[in-house]
Amino acid sequence: MSGWAASRLSAVVYDFGVEREWLARPAGAVLWGTDTRLMYETIRTIGAMPPGSAVLDVPCGGGLALRGMRPGQDLRYVAADISPVMLSRTRAQAARLGRKVVVTAADVTRLPFGDNKFDLCVCFNGLHCLPDPAAAVREIARCLKDGARLVGDTIVRGAGLRQDLAIGAFHRVGLFGEGHTVDEVERWLSDAGLKVDRLELSGAVAHFAATR
Ligand SMILES: C[S@@+](CC[C@H](N)C(=O)[O-])C[C@H]1O[C@@H](n2cnc3c(N)ncnc32)[C@H](O)[C@@H]1O
C-alpha cells in the first residue's frame, strides 16, 4: 500500500504546506532547490480551458490545483487520489472555493475512466510517489482525447546530493518511488504515445507538458 494512503500525518503536513504559497516557496527552495512559482503558474492552465472541457486532476492530493478553476467556469472537473484523507481535503477545498468537483477514489495506474474522456490532465507532484510511474503515464494517456494535454511536475534524481538523499529517505518511508531521472520522465511520456512539448528542470523538479 502507498505510504500516502496509510499515513494521515504525511497527507496533512504536505497539503498544509503546499496549499500556502508563502510556505511552499522557501520549503521548495531549501529541500528541492526549486522555484515553486513555476508550479503555481502551470496550475493556471486550468483556468484557460474552454467551457465544457473535461479535466482530470490526478493525484489530486488535498485539492491544490482546484485554485486553477475560475469562478463559474463550466468544466467537468474530476479529482482522483488513492488517499481517503486527501480526498476529504479535496472535498473541503472544493466547498471552500465554491467549485463543482467530482471527487473519486482511484489508483492512477488503474483509472476507472474510459478511453479518450479528458481534454486536460493535471498531474502535480505525483509521479515520483509511485512504484511504477510509467504505468501511470500510460493510464493517463489512455484517458486523454486526441489532442488533449497532460501538464504537471515531478521530482527527479540528479539535481544534487542533498536532493538525491531526500528522495532516498522518502522512498524508505514509503512516500516516494525509487527515484528516476528527467530522461526517464521523457521516456514515460513518449512511450505512452504523447508528444513532449515541455520538459524543464527547476532544481530537482521536472515540469512537463505533453500532447496526445
Ligand atoms: C505529494 S502528493 C501531491 C498531490 C497534489 N497533486 C499536490 O500537488 O498537492 C502525492 C499524492 O499522490 C497520491 N498517490 C500516491 N499513490 C497513488 C496512486 N497509486 N494512485 C493515486 N494517487 C496516489 C497520494 O495520496 C498523494 O495525495
Side-chain angles (χ1 to χ4, degrees):
M1 184 198 268
S2 160
W4 289 97
S7 169
R8 180 185 175 80
L9 184 65
S10 311
V12 170
V13 169
Y14 168 78
D15 190 47
F16 183 89
V18 80
E19 290 287 358
R20 290 161 178 80
E21 289 195 41
W22 59 268
L23 195 54
R25 200 163 159 197
V30 169
L31 194 53
W32 304 115
T34 194
D35 182 350
T36 51
R37 281 176 300 188
L38 291 176
M39 175 187 75
Y40 295 104
E41 233 170 78
T42 305
I43 289 174
R44 289 202 278 273
T45 309
I46 298 165
M49 294 304 287
S53 298
V55 176
L56 173 62
D57 176 1
V58 68
C60 62
L64 170 75
L66 268 52
R67 68 187 63 201
M69 269 186 278
R70 284 178 287 108
Q73 192 180 5
D74 172 25
L75 295 180
R76 175 176 151 69
Y77 193 101
V78 178
D81 201 283
I82 206 167
S83 154
V85 175
M86 288 300 206
L87 292 168
S88 70
R89 291 179 78 88
T90 292
R91 277 188 206 98
Q93 178 73 334
R96 255 192 311 271
L97 296 175
R99 304 290 190 272
K100 224 172 104 191
V101 176
V102 178
V103 180
T104 307
D107 180 338
V108 62
T109 58
R110 294 160 51 116
L111 291 171
F113 313 115
D115 299 352
N116 311 307
K117 293 289 183 218
F118 293 94
D119 300 286
L120 174 70
C121 174
V122 294
C123 180
F124 292 105
N125 311 311
L127 295 177
H128 59 260
C129 298
L130 307 171
D132 189 354
V137 174
R138 278 197 301 275
E139 189 61 351
I140 288 169
R142 177 185 68 73
C143 297
L144 290 178
K145 297 177 185 173
D146 285 338
R149 295 209 307 149
L150 164 63
V151 301
D153 62 9
T154 185
I155 292 170
V156 292
R157 284 192 180 282
L161 180 63
R162 189 160 42 90
Q163 287 83 11
D164 286 355
L165 288 173
I167 290 170
F170 284 122
H171 177 52
R172 281 191 292 283
V173 297
L175 294 176
F176 277 26
E178 63 188 277
H180 297 272
T181 63
V182 69
D183 291 343
E184 286 173 282
V185 176
E186 182 160 29
R187 218 164 31 243
W188 303 335
L189 294 166
S190 43
D191 286 355
L194 302 173
K195 178 180 151 297
V196 180
D197 302 315
R198 175 192 184 205
L199 194 52
E200 179 185 344
L201 275 175
S202 169
V205 179
H207 294 264
F208 53 81
T211 309
R212 182 172 147 164

